[in-house]
Structures are given as C-alpha cells and as structure tokens.
Amino acid sequence: MLILGLESSCDETAAALVTDKREVLAHRLARQDEAHRPFGGVVPEIAARAHVEALAPLVEAALADAGVTLADVDAIAATAGPGLIGGVMVGLVTGKALAHAAGKPLVAVNHLEGHALSPRLADPDLDFPYLLLLVSGGHCQLLLVEGVGRYRRLATTIDDAAGEAFDKTAKLLGLGFPGGPAVERAAKDGDPRAVPLPRPLVGSGEPHFSFAGLKSDVARKAGKFPAADLAASFQQAVVDCLVDRTRIALGKAPQASALVVAGGVAANGAVRGALEALAGEHGLRFVAPPLWLCTDNAAMIAWAGAERFAAGLTDPLDLAARPRWPLDPDAEKVRGAGVKA
Ligand SMILES: Nc1ncnc2c1ncn2[C@@H]1O[C@H](COP(=O)(O)OP(=O)(O)OP(=O)(O)O)[C@@H](O)[C@H]1O
Ligand SMILES: [Mg+2]
C-alpha cells in the first residue's frame, strides 16, 4: 500500500510517499525560516502564501524521487488540522484536488495524530498502548495511545506549550529563529545550575503542565546573567517539568508498554536523555523518532494516513479544515487552561 502525504499546518510545506511496510520512498520539505525571521515568529498570512507556492512542486518532486505516479498511489493523506487555518486549507484542498483528479480516496489526518503515530513508523516493534509525551510548538500533552484514532488525554498545558516557551526564550535572549535548536546550541556552553528558575506545577498530583511563569522569569532575568547560562538553566527547568509530570502520568497508565516522545521538542537531546532515564527507572522501553521525524514533516502524515486507511477510514471531499481539533474530544477541560487545551 502506497500513501502520498501532505503537510502544511504551520511553517513547513512537505510531501512524502510512504508504504504500509514502513518504507519512506520520498520525503520533501520546504522551510520558510527566511520569510518569518524578520518577525521573530511565524506570520500566518506569509505562511499560507508560501505553502501555495511550494506545495505542488514538492508533490511532483516527491513522486519523481520515488519513481512513481499518482496512479500508483492507493490514497492521499492531507493534514486537515489543527494549525494555522490558511496553511491547513492549502494542503487539504490540494489533497482533495489530487484525490478527485486521480480517483483515489482522501484520508484527512489530524496533525497531532501524525506526531502521535510517527514513532510507529520508526519502530516496527512499538505496539499499543503506549504513553506519549507530545511536545511541540503548539501542544504539550500526555496521552495514552490505545490505537489508531483512540487517544486518552491524561494531561495538557494550562498555558504555553513547551516549544512555545523555547521559542520565546530564544527571542528574549536574542538567540534567533527558529528558537528551539538555538536554545539547545546556546545551552551547551552554559551551566544549568547558574540561574534559579521556577518549575511550575512540579510535585502536583495531576500531571498537567505550565510554562508561562518560567518564561516570565526568564524575561525578568534576561541581561542579568550570561545568555548561555540562562539558556542552559531554562532548558534544565523544562526537562525537570517534563520528567516530573511524565512520572506522575506513568503512575496513572500502568497498561502502557512503552514511554514515547514525539513533536518538535522531542528533537532536544537533553529532553530525550532525561526521558530515556525515566523509562529505564520504570523498566519501560523508550521510543523517540529520529530527529527529522520529530519536527513537522509529511512522512508522519503519510504514515498516519496508512494506519487510518488500513483501518478502513477515509473521508469525503466536502470535509472541513479545522483550526482546532483535539485528539481526545472527551478530555475534561482543565482549570486555568486556555484555548490550547
Ligand atoms: N532541538 C530543539 N530543542 C527544543 N525545542 C525544539 C528543538 N527543535 C525544535 N524545537 C521546537 O519544536 C517546535 C516545532 O515543533 P513542531 O514542528 O512539531 O510544532 P508545530 O507543528 O509548530 O506545533 P504543533 O505540532 O503543536 O501544531 C518549535 O517550538 C521549536 O522551537
Ligand atoms: Mg507539529
């Protein structure tokens, strides 16, 4: 089974061809860093226009890389949300047009399900259920992944996402854009114990997250400490929060067969190392996708499409694009949580 995947929900435009045997036949990606750098963050309107320019040529290039045509594809998977709505619409409409023109089924993929299932593309031995720490630019959640389309949210952030905190810290410290990798690079030359910073919610009995107070404290201390020490201390504070909260969630998910991390922040070496140690303490397998599969890409969308298609799930051509789309629609609202819950 061969699936074409399309991704355009934030600032990466991507197309990939993936088989149900976990072969990535092609994956093409265009970043928009230069377009957004002057603003120090992603500008939705600029992102949407860039997707319009980049996506169709990327699809052609991916098909050529794989040596296949649309006729060889079994289904077309496109991100249908959540994300910046202009970009999501570009990818979803492109997916619908290709599906219609080639007479292939459309599989609408929740971008978060792409992240959530991406570790299974990388690791054929990862079975359900697993505990997933989903840490990205827009989300910070702990989910029990019970199967394709079956997610139980155990925790979420009550304010900022972890990736957002990395990006804002990079901006405050003048480390540049994109922020996460810049903070990690700067932290290598710093002392993680040099700057006292808070660990919001650490020790509380429910495994939710909060990063707004940490970010504000970095803002207060910026310029008063060397940037490398602040970067290292900030990164350590995030790691401590993620590990403490994940430990609580593990206590609530004894059925989990593995601890899994996915999303852009999973590319961070300190985060991966600390979670691996936590899994070891619990005698659990630790699974993290390779770095290129952590940040946004279309291979994870194609793979989630393959898993959904194999389960008989396809979508109609009048399906709406969704700016918000929780993985667990039954999750309770968390006190204090904003719209990102
Ligand atoms: N090495 C790193 N260390 C820390 N953070 C990182 C690293 N690499 C990327 N990130 C962060 O990951 C985020 C991007 O991840 P991703 O592409 O999955 O998010 P998104 O698609 O913008 O959000 P979402 O998936 O929630 O819709 C950014 O906030 C970025 O700073
Ligand atoms: Mg993402």
Side-chain angles (χ1 to χ4, degrees), residues 7 9-10 12 82 111-112 115 134-139 263-264 294-297 300:
E7 161 60 31
S9 67
C10 190
E12 276 96 4
H111 177 86
L112 302 177
H115 283 303
L134 175 55
V135 263
S136 57
H139 296 81
C294 289
T295 43
D296 288 350
N297 64 86
M300 70 180 192

Side-chain angles (χ1 to χ4, degrees), residues 43 53 77 218:
V43 182
E53 293 169 18
V218 171

Side-chain angles (χ1 to χ4, degrees), residues 138-142 153 155-162 164 201 207-212 334 336-338 340-341:
H139 296 81
C140 189
Q141 303 190 339
L142 283 154
R153 199 194 73 192
T156 187
T157 178
I158 63 165
D159 41 56
D160 296 348
E164 198 176 347
L201 291 185
H208 297 303
F209 301 90
S210 166
F211 295 103
V334 179
K340 294 186 193 77

Side-chain angles (χ1 to χ4, degrees), residues 54-148:
L55 186 54
L58 285 177
V59 171
E60 291 202 327
L63 289 168
D65 290 349
V68 300
T69 68
L70 268 187
D72 301 312
V73 166
D74 292 289
I76 292 162
T79 297
L84 302 174
I85 194 64
V88 172
M89 285 166 64
V90 174
L92 182 58
V93 166
T94 302
K96 287 181 178 187
L98 292 173
H100 174 67
K104 306 288 179 179
L106 172 76
V107 183
V109 173
N110 182 318
H111 177 86
L112 302 177
E113 184 163 46
H115 283 303
L117 297 177
S118 66
R120 282 167 53 81
L121 170 57
D123 186 334
D125 298 323
L126 177 59
D127 292 323
F128 303 117
Y130 53 85
L131 183 71
L132 171 71
L133 172 62
L134 175 55
V135 263
S136 57
H139 296 81
C140 189
Q141 303 190 339
L142 283 154
L143 297 146
L144 185 65
V145 182
E146 296 173 323
V148 176

